[in-house]
Amino acid sequence: FADFRDASAGMCSYKCTILDCLRGLEYAVKLKWFDIKTFNLREYEYYEKVDNGNLNWIIPGKFIAFSGPSSNERDADGWRTFTPEDYVPIFKNMGVTLVVRLN
């Protein structure tokens, strides 16, 4: 299998293999960040879609990664994007109290 790379168009500066992912999952289980018994697949599949915010819990109850926000509801190609106003009710529902932009 080819190594994973992010969706950006630039040169990939790292390799992420299937083995790396499995080791990460093993470590997340060890830290109790992932539990197959409590993992909500429906919620994950809903929010991972761009039309629903494109966000995922990285550390449940602690840290969410998300795409955006955008200043417009549509990008240059007409695709749906989320504004801060779109994220606010989602974050409130999830108990998010602080947002830090990392770029």
Side-chain angles (χ1 to χ4, degrees), residues 29-95:
V29 169
K30 178 181 173 184
L31 294 174
K32 300 188 183 336
W33 291 353
F34 179 80
D35 183 345
I36 193 67
K37 293 179 216 136
T38 60
F39 180 71
N40 187 331
L41 180 60
R42 285 182 197 216
E43 181 179 85
Y44 173 85
E45 288 180 336
Y46 177 82
Y47 285 114
E48 64 95 19
K49 294 179 181 171
V50 173
D51 288 344
N52 299 325
N54 194 13
L55 55 96
N56 298 104
W57 284 106
I58 303 301
I59 302 173
K62 301 274 184 202
F63 182 64
I64 294 176
F66 67 103
S67 174
S70 176
S71 57
N72 302 309
E73 291 183 4
R74 301 273 171 196
D75 69 12
D77 296 320
W79 294 99
R80 170 79 163 98
T81 60
F82 273 54
T83 65
E85 294 80 13
D86 293 320
Y87 281 113
V88 168
I90 297 169
F91 288 164
K92 282 186 176 181
N93 185 48
M94 293 179 157

Side-chain angles (χ1 to χ4, degrees), residues 5-14:
R5 62 162 293 134
D6 66 25
S8 66
M11 183 180 227
C12 186
S13 60
Y14 64 90

